[in-house]
Amino acid sequence: MAEIIQRDGTWTFDGESVRIVPGGGKGIHPLRQELGERVVPLRALAGISFEPGRKGGRLRLRLRDGACPVLRAAEGRLKDASDPYQLAVEKDRSGVAEYFVGEVRNALLIEQVPTGPADGFLLPGPAVPVAGGGGDGTASFDGETIRLTWNWKAEEVKSSAGPVAFPVSEVTGVHWMPAIGLENGHLRFVRGAATAPAPAAEFDPYSLDLWGLSKKEYTAALVAAAVLARLPGAATKEAGAARPAEIPAPAPAGPATPAPAPPSDDHDALLRRLRELGELRRAGILTDDEFTAAKQAVLKRL
């Protein structure tokens, strides 16, 4: 097992998945706090990297396209501080971060995990009920019904009509955009077939108008992700759901073919990892307990 504990959060790798627990301090972004713990299965990963810097560095998990509903909802618009798959690393733990990267990469190599786009979500959406937003109102979702409530900043066309509620079964699309510069953002729900351009978010009763005045507005992305994961048909793509293309065809009759042996360089890579662990312990980067746990994880794969 590999583990790195930082003020920003804790990452643990058990050979099958990366468990991400966000930190609880005031400096943790609201999106990461509200999202909470994430367990990323190995088959959802496309890669991992550590980017060293003068004052520390940053661990980054790269997920396969389409594997995570949060990333699908964000469409690359999350800032580093709000990205749940990044971890700020202090300078004196750079060696542990590099070891963590090596463990995950070795597992990806051994398991031959594909790096291409996923056919469907391999991680669940945010837990429901979930709420978020800001600007002129708040969006909430309980797994079945989406509700939009307005505050005193909302335009009269919204406030005079009152709160809006509609079932997720009526939703055909959801779009989240954070405020960028002087441009407002939005959380927009599409119902039925879009036959005409939608009105501006400030006048649209099925949209939040996000002003970008608070980090809390980023939590609207969690509502979008929770809805995306529960749109009609999305459940068949969740982790563990079988798809026809994944069911192997029956093998033809005849003598059994032995499974191919693992590549010889996998064994060599694990031996190199053992030597690296010893060097990290001698250098004082790994504690005795960290070394023992890491060594046992490597030996299990030999």
Side-chain angles (χ1 to χ4, degrees), residues 82-94:
S82 63
D83 190 336
Y85 304 114
Q86 297 189 30
L87 180 71
V89 177
E90 297 167 13
K91 190 173 183 179
D92 63 348
R93 305 306 285 171
S94 295

Side-chain angles (χ1 to χ4, degrees), residues 11-229:
W11 286 16
T12 306
F13 179 59
D14 62 3
E16 297 181 354
S17 60
V18 178
R19 182 178 298 273
I20 298 173
V21 180
K26 292 182 178 179
I28 307 303
H29 196 281
L31 183 147
R32 295 176 56 209
Q33 288 182 328
E34 295 293 335
L35 180 60
E37 182 178 312
R38 300 292 276 170
V39 177
V40 185
L42 198 63
R43 67 193 181 104
L45 289 178
I48 183 174
S49 63
F50 174 63
E51 302 168 359
R54 289 192 308 166
K55 297 182 179 180
R58 186 170 295 274
L59 270 174
R60 295 181 188 266
L61 280 183
R62 184 165 59 87
L63 273 63
R64 296 171 61 190
D65 289 343
C68 174
V70 175
L71 296 185
R72 172 68 66 82
E75 295 183 342
R77 300 186 182 99
L78 292 180
K79 296 180 179 179
D80 286 354
S82 63
D83 190 336
Y85 304 114
Q86 297 189 30
L87 180 71
V89 177
E90 297 167 13
K91 190 173 183 179
D92 63 348
R93 305 306 285 171
S94 295
V96 178
E98 291 172 350
Y99 165 70
F100 193 97
V101 168
E103 286 294 285
V104 176
R105 284 180 176 172
N106 281 342
L108 290 171
L109 174 65
I110 293 170
E111 298 297 330
Q112 297 183 351
V113 176
T115 59
D119 292 336
F121 294 138
L122 301 178
L123 281 83
V128 292
V130 60
D136 65 354
T138 300
S140 62
F141 179 52
D142 62 6
E144 297 181 357
T145 303
I146 300 160
R147 292 179 173 82
L148 301 177
T149 57
W150 316 115
N151 58 34
W152 64 273
K153 304 172 188 176
E155 294 288 338
E156 185 176 356
V157 67
K158 290 183 175 181
S159 58
S160 60
V164 176
F166 48 94
V168 68
S169 59
E170 295 182 0
V171 176
T172 56
V174 57
H175 185 253
W176 173 76
M177 170 74 75
I180 301 175
L182 299 178
E183 296 292 329
N184 287 359
H186 61 258
L187 172 62
R188 186 187 304 278
F189 297 96
V190 181
R191 300 168 68 233
T195 58
E202 57 188 317
F203 302 112
D204 184 358
Y206 301 108
S207 299
L208 292 184
D209 189 25
L210 305 176
W211 298 355
L213 300 179
S214 168
K215 292 180 179 179
K216 190 74 173 179
E217 290 189 10
Y218 269 71
T219 55
L222 299 182
V223 181
V227 172
L228 278 176

Side-chain angles (χ1 to χ4, degrees), residues 233-259:
T236 61
K237 300 178 181 180
E238 290 287 346
R243 293 181 289 276
E246 293 179 338
I247 302 175
T257 302

Side-chain angles (χ1 to χ4, degrees), residues 1-4 50 91-103 106 270-295 298:
M1 176 180 290
E3 183 177 63
I4 180 167
F50 174 63
K91 190 173 183 179
D92 63 348
R93 305 306 285 171
S94 295
V96 178
E98 291 172 350
Y99 165 70
F100 193 97
V101 168
E103 286 294 285
N106 281 342
L270 293 174
L271 291 178
R272 287 197 301 271
R273 174 58 56 187
L274 287 174
R275 288 194 293 269
E276 291 170 359
L277 288 174
E279 294 172 0
L280 289 172
R281 183 177 67 168
R282 287 191 292 273
I285 295 174
L286 290 178
T287 65
D288 289 341
D289 289 342
E290 290 172 336
F291 170 77
T292 300
K295 179 181 176 181
V298 174

